[in-house]
């Protein structure tokens, strides 16, 4: 998967650069600006948006799924919600025993033994939150960041085109140096898109399922290109 991620990153940067060859330098500069503004907005707006998505959508779904499996381990009935299902389950004892099925379930949500055991004295609902809470928050913020980036990129680029670019004098004819400059700006815009992908992955990967064949907590560190580019990612330090 690490090799595939590096190849996709390379294709992304080169593809965006080539797509700007026949565009003016100014248009490519506006595209780069739009991408940078979209990433900045998506990064910060993904905090409240991800929290809302987790609270109302992802967390209930994850809790219901995990609670159903926990109930099956002790042959208990499934109830209306995940929290109702685990209310009378001996999750504290299950967390302390750390049997293989319980450990496997926690691994599916990226939860560690330490954080689950620490929640055990607080009751079954706290244990359920310790199992699924981190996964729900990470998944919700990653998805929110990606969706917000696409929406903001489209909106900002449209506004710049209509309010600024269309009111400027026609661009000069494309020459080889201008095409090269436009392609380089396009490559930079592709790099910004890649930063978004890496940042979203950096949020999600620590909570990815431990038995996942596609994702692992150290996926980015196993790559070559993405790992080096991530060192220049300004949002890496804000996570």
């Amino acid at each position: 998967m690490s090799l595939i991620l590096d190849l996709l990153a390379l294709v992304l940067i080169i593809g965006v650069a080539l797509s700007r060859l026949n565009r003016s330098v100014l248009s490519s500069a506006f595209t780069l600006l739009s991408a940078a503004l979209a990433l900045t907005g998506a990064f910060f707006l993904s905090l409240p948006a991800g929290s809302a998505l987790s609270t109302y959508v992802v967390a209930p779904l994850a809790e219901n799924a995990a609670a159903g499996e926990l109930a099956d381990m002790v042959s208990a009935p499934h109830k209306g919600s995940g929290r109702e299902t685990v209310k009378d389950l001996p999750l504290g004892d299950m967390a302390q025993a750390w049997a293989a099925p319980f450990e496997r379930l926690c691994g599916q949500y990226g939860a560690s033994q330490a954080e689950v055991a620490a929640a055990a004295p607080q009751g079954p609902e706290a244990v359920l939150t310790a199992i699924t809470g981190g996964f729900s928050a990470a998944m919700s913020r990653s998805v929110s960041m990606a969706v917000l980036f696409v929406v903001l990129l489209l909106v900002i680029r449209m506004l710049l085109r209509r309010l600024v670019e269309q009111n400027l004098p026609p661009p000069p004819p494309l020459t080889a140096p201008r095409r090269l400059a436009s392609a380089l700006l396009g490559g930079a815009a592709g790099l910004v898109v890649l930063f978004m992908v890496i940042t979203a992955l950096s949020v999600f990967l620590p909570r990815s399922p431990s038995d996942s064949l596609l994702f692992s907590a150290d996926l980015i560190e196993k790559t070559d290109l993405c790992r080096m580019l991530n060192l220049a990612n300004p949002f890496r330090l804000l996570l």
Side-chain angles (χ1 to χ4, degrees):
M1 184 61 185
S2 57
L3 178 59
I4 294 175
L5 188 60
D6 272 342
L7 290 175
L8 290 176
L10 192 60
V11 169
L12 172 65
I13 296 173
I14 294 176
V16 177
L18 293 178
S19 71
R20 307 306 303 178
L21 275 175
N22 295 321
R23 302 297 180 92
S24 68
V25 175
L26 191 59
S27 175
S28 296
F30 280 133
T31 297
L32 173 58
L33 176 61
S34 300
L37 292 175
L39 176 54
T40 302
F43 180 84
F44 291 106
L45 290 176
S46 65
L47 282 169
S51 177
L53 180 63
S54 177
T55 299
Y56 296 108
V57 180
V58 180
L61 291 175
E63 288 176 356
N64 287 342
E69 293 193 46
L70 289 167
D72 291 341
M73 292 179 192
V74 293
S75 301
H78 296 201
K79 298 182 180 179
S81 69
R83 291 180 176 273
E84 291 177 356
T85 299
V86 303
K87 193 171 184 180
D88 297 321
L89 298 185
L91 295 192
D93 295 337
M94 295 168 71
Q96 296 298 329
W98 202 250
F102 188 83
E103 179 182 4
R104 184 166 55 253
L105 175 64
C106 292
Q108 292 175 3
Y109 295 94
S112 68
Q113 181 177 7
E115 59 188 336
V116 174
Q122 303 171 40
E125 293 182 355
V127 173
L128 181 63
T129 299
I131 294 173
T132 65
F135 172 86
S136 300
M139 171 67 78
S140 298
R141 190 179 182 193
S142 297
V143 171
S144 298
M145 192 182 303
V147 172
L148 284 168
F149 175 79
V150 173
V151 172
L152 289 173
L153 178 60
L154 294 175
V155 171
I156 294 172
R157 189 65 188 94
M158 180 188 68
L159 291 175
L160 286 176
R161 183 180 294 112
R162 292 186 176 181
L163 300 179
V164 180
E165 195 172 348
Q166 291 181 352
N167 296 318
L168 296 174
L174 284 174
T175 60
R178 290 194 179 99
R179 288 179 186 274
L180 177 60
S182 186
L184 290 175
L185 288 170
L191 183 60
V192 173
V193 177
L194 181 60
F195 282 162
M196 183 280 296
V197 174
I198 293 176
T199 303
L201 283 175
S202 296
V203 171
F204 171 70
L205 289 178
R207 290 293 183 172
S208 61
S210 58
D211 58 350
S212 174
L213 298 178
L214 294 178
F215 301 104
S216 62
D218 58 349
L219 174 62
I220 295 176
E221 294 303 316
K222 289 180 178 179
T223 64
D224 294 317
L225 178 61
C226 289
R227 176 173 49 82
M228 290 188 294
L229 291 178
N230 195 35
L231 296 176
N233 182 6
F235 295 97
R236 176 177 60 92
L237 302 176
L238 299 177
L239 292 175

